[in-house]
Amino acid sequence: MTENLPSVSRTARAAWGIVKAIGPLVISQTEKASKAYAQHQMRLAQVEAYKELMVGEIRTLNEVRRKLLEKYYDVSDEERFRIKRDIQDLEKDTRRLGAYQKALEYLPKEDGTAPLPSSEADTTELISPSWMDRFNEVARLQNEAWRQDLLSKALAREAQYPGSISPRALWFIGTVDEPIFHAFASLIDISSNFENGLIIPNHQGYYTRILPGCILGDDRTLGHIAFMLLDLGLMGDLLTSFRMISSTGISQVAYGTQHYILRTKQEIRVNGIVLTSLGSVIASLYEPKPNELGAEIFDAWVKSISPAVADVQLVT
């Protein structure tokens, strides 16, 4: 390696960080984890090369598990107990690697020309060991599909931006009850996207409205769901929370495919349901599903902006 290599991209560093977090076993036993191998695979994006590595490792674990099962009934009771424990550990590691593999899929795509980390300076922003310990503990469990998806997205985000997923957010993902997650998702589905974060503007006028597509039932109202989540640290106070839009300059607001530019003439205070930092992190890992109620709330707020407050322009 020379000192004149181009700088390592964030995606390449993140992918290497995820692979490195697997542990010394995979890195020491396969040449596919080496920098030389990745440089040899320039025809592939580096993330794709790492995916191949992960698939191979999972295949190896499954093969070991198969061989242990074949031996299970031909050994003593004492040895059978050890084999059962080993199989359980293999299954846990397979689930963990599955989360790693899916995390690689959530990294941005590259053309494969960026170099791999080749010096200490290139690897200073890897995920902290304490964070990975917490992640691995949860990833080894038999998680629901939606929770495993959140975990993989969290790992991908943390690998790109170490420190962006707080231990509290990781703990929340690992422990939140499924009804709570779906309730929170139904609020995100109707939230408008302002430049400084998500908000359900002027929410109090919609408390009795049914939330479309809410998995918890077709009779759940915005008020019911909001109060259900009130004490979980995901939202600010329902009576006093607001966002401010600057009095000068240009701001963007959006919901679904609708985007508007505001050229403000005075400061705008928008009362509504506002997420906390924890809520914002969890929401950023979820893909919202726009619906008619969210569009109605957003349209009503846009129409409430008078020309004396801001010029509103639809982005087409």
Side-chain angles (χ1 to χ4, degrees):
M1 295 292 179
T2 71
E3 295 180 357
N4 296 321
L5 285 175
S7 61
V8 178
S9 73
R10 186 176 294 276
T11 297
R13 183 185 292 110
W16 176 248
I18 291 173
V19 172
K20 190 172 182 180
I22 296 174
L25 175 62
V26 66
I27 293 179
S28 63
Q29 75 177 7
T30 174
E31 64 178 0
K32 286 190 175 184
S34 70
K35 303 175 183 64
Y37 174 81
Q39 294 294 349
H40 180 65
Q41 296 287 337
M42 295 300 277
R43 60 186 175 83
L44 295 174
Q46 287 161 1
V47 171
E48 295 303 315
Y50 286 141
K51 286 180 186 177
E52 287 187 0
L53 165 66
M54 209 74 68
V55 169
E57 188 70 4
I58 292 175
R59 189 181 298 117
T60 299
L61 291 179
N62 287 333
E63 180 63 17
V64 173
R65 179 179 179 276
R66 183 186 66 79
K67 291 179 179 179
L68 287 174
L69 285 171
E70 289 176 353
K71 294 169 52 179
Y72 187 76
Y73 293 104
D74 298 327
V75 297
S76 65
D77 290 343
E78 181 180 353
E79 186 64 21
R80 192 176 297 169
F81 175 79
R82 293 194 188 96
I83 289 176
K84 183 176 181 180
R85 184 180 57 193
D86 290 343
I87 289 174
Q88 290 173 342
D89 288 341
L90 284 169
E91 290 173 345
K92 291 177 181 179
D93 273 342
T94 299
R95 290 193 289 267
R96 177 176 67 101
L97 289 179
Y100 284 26
Q101 182 182 11
K102 196 167 185 180
L104 289 173
E105 297 176 2
Y106 286 121
L107 294 177
K109 304 301 180 185
E110 283 196 328
D111 61 7
T113 60
L116 281 172
S118 58
S119 69
E120 185 177 349
D122 288 330
T123 58
T124 53
E125 290 188 278
L126 295 180
I127 310 170
S128 74
S130 61
W131 195 95
M132 283 309 311
D133 285 346
R134 294 185 179 96
F135 178 87
N136 288 330
E137 184 178 350
V138 179
R140 287 188 174 99
L141 302 176
Q142 293 180 337
N143 292 306
E144 308 92 323
W146 60 268
R147 195 187 308 273
Q148 181 159 347
D149 190 60
L150 286 180
L151 284 169
S152 296
K153 288 180 178 178
L155 177 57
R157 180 77 57 78
E158 184 68 13
Q160 293 177 82
Y161 307 99
S164 60
I165 306 296
S166 67
R168 186 185 180 196
L170 185 58
W171 175 85
F172 183 88
I173 294 171
T175 60
V176 62
D177 291 334
E178 185 167 3
I180 294 297
F181 167 73
H182 290 308
F184 185 59
S186 66
L187 286 191
I188 303 305
D189 288 342
I190 63 170
S191 295
S192 302
N193 195 343
F194 287 19
E195 271 190 347
N196 52 0
L198 296 176
I199 184 173
I200 303 177
N202 302 330
H203 64 289
Q204 293 183 358
Y206 300 90
Y207 269 153
T208 60
R209 297 291 297 275
I210 300 294
L211 290 176
C214 181
I215 295 179
L216 300 181
D218 55 10
D219 60 344
R220 301 305 174 99
T221 65
L222 172 57
H224 175 88
I225 294 299
F227 283 104
M228 179 178 176
L229 300 172
L230 189 58
D231 297 326
L232 298 178
L234 298 170
M235 309 176 302
D237 187 276
L238 294 177
L239 298 177
T240 61
S241 293
F242 62 91
R243 289 199 182 280
M244 298 299 300
I245 298 178
S246 174
S247 59
T248 57
I250 298 176
S251 295
Q252 295 187 46
V253 295
Y255 179 79
T257 58
Q258 288 187 300
H259 295 254
Y260 289 89
I261 291 177
L262 304 181
R263 292 180 171 82
T264 55
K265 303 172 184 178
Q266 64 184 58
E267 198 172 51
I268 304 175
R269 172 174 169 144
V270 186
N271 296 315
I273 295 178
V274 177
L275 303 184
T276 61
S277 57
L278 172 63
S280 296
V281 169
I282 303 303
S284 71
L285 303 174
Y286 168 75
E287 189 67 33
K289 303 173 182 63
N291 56 51
E292 60 272 19
L293 178 58
E296 178 185 337
I297 294 172
F298 179 67
D299 288 341
W301 180 82
V302 171
K303 290 176 182 178
S304 72
I305 305 300
S306 70
V309 173
D311 295 324
V312 180
Q313 178 184 350
L314 176 65
V315 178
T316 57

